[in-house]
Amino acid sequence: MQIIKTAVAAALATLALSASAMTPIQDTELSAVSGQDGVSIAANLNIKMDSFVYTDTDALDANGMGGGSVSFNGIKVQGLIAASIDILSKNSFLAAAGAAGVTNPGTFYNPASGGDVVQIAIPADVQVAAGKLLNISVDSIKMGNNAASFGSVAMNQVDLRGTQVWIWAH
């Protein structure tokens, strides 16, 4: 009886392993397969930064000139943004760069030996509710330790749709 149980268990284990085995697929069969590629990202940004300060560390000269700082205070970035991330082959990248108006990619990408390129794109057809595009503002701009401000800056309804960014190794 023990021998029969062992034989049945071995047969079932063999069936289970063979059912989950991977089988190779030929290129001709693979070309008929369709699916999705890439990654999509969407964000509702609500970024706040107390300040961005630039400091010139030059020593004071004989006339008391040099050094100083400027600060941008109360920085805010708010609004919706959506992007897709794809891997482009060399030929697809060169076609995309050409469509974007690049006339000589050889100045920054080697068309002969270049490889795949990562593309981050903000689709041109993304629908965004009125008033929900990016808004960027700076509450005040101050020099040094002075309490007085030069005023504020705002960039409203910044529309990045249709933007493409390409990244590759070299």
Side-chain angles (χ1 to χ4, degrees):
M1 188 65 165
Q2 184 63 25
I3 294 174
I4 294 173
K5 287 182 183 177
T6 304
V8 170
L12 290 174
T14 302
L15 286 174
L17 288 175
S18 65
S20 64
M22 295 181 68
T23 57
I25 186 168
Q26 300 299 318
D27 286 343
T28 55
E29 296 169 314
L30 187 58
S31 66
V33 175
S34 65
Q36 298 292 321
D37 66 336
V39 176
S40 295
I41 300 171
N44 182 16
L45 300 177
N46 190 19
I47 302 168
K48 296 179 181 174
M49 186 183 330
D50 285 342
S51 67
F52 170 81
V53 179
Y54 170 75
T55 303
D56 182 353
T57 58
D58 289 345
L60 293 177
D61 64 15
N63 297 321
M65 304 296 285
S69 66
V70 61
S71 64
F72 299 83
N73 307 295
I75 301 167
K76 297 176 199 73
V77 179
Q78 297 174 312
L80 298 173
I81 190 166
S84 63
I85 301 174
D86 291 301
I87 305 299
L88 302 181
S89 68
K90 173 175 53 177
N91 291 338
S92 295
F93 165 65
L94 292 172
V102 176
T103 58
N104 183 7
T107 58
F108 56 88
Y109 176 85
N110 188 331
S113 64
D116 292 345
V117 174
V118 176
Q119 174 180 274
I120 302 171
I122 300 173
D125 59 353
V126 170
Q127 299 298 311
V128 179
K132 295 296 184 179
L133 292 172
L134 286 180
N135 293 302
I136 304 167
S137 63
V138 177
D139 291 341
S140 66
I141 303 169
K142 299 180 180 183
M143 297 292 292
N145 295 321
N146 195 326
S149 173
F150 285 101
S152 62
V153 175
M155 294 183 285
N156 297 313
Q157 298 301 288
V158 178
D159 191 347
L160 297 173
R161 292 177 288 186
T163 299
Q164 295 173 308
V165 176
W166 299 299
I167 305 168
W168 64 92
H170 52 90

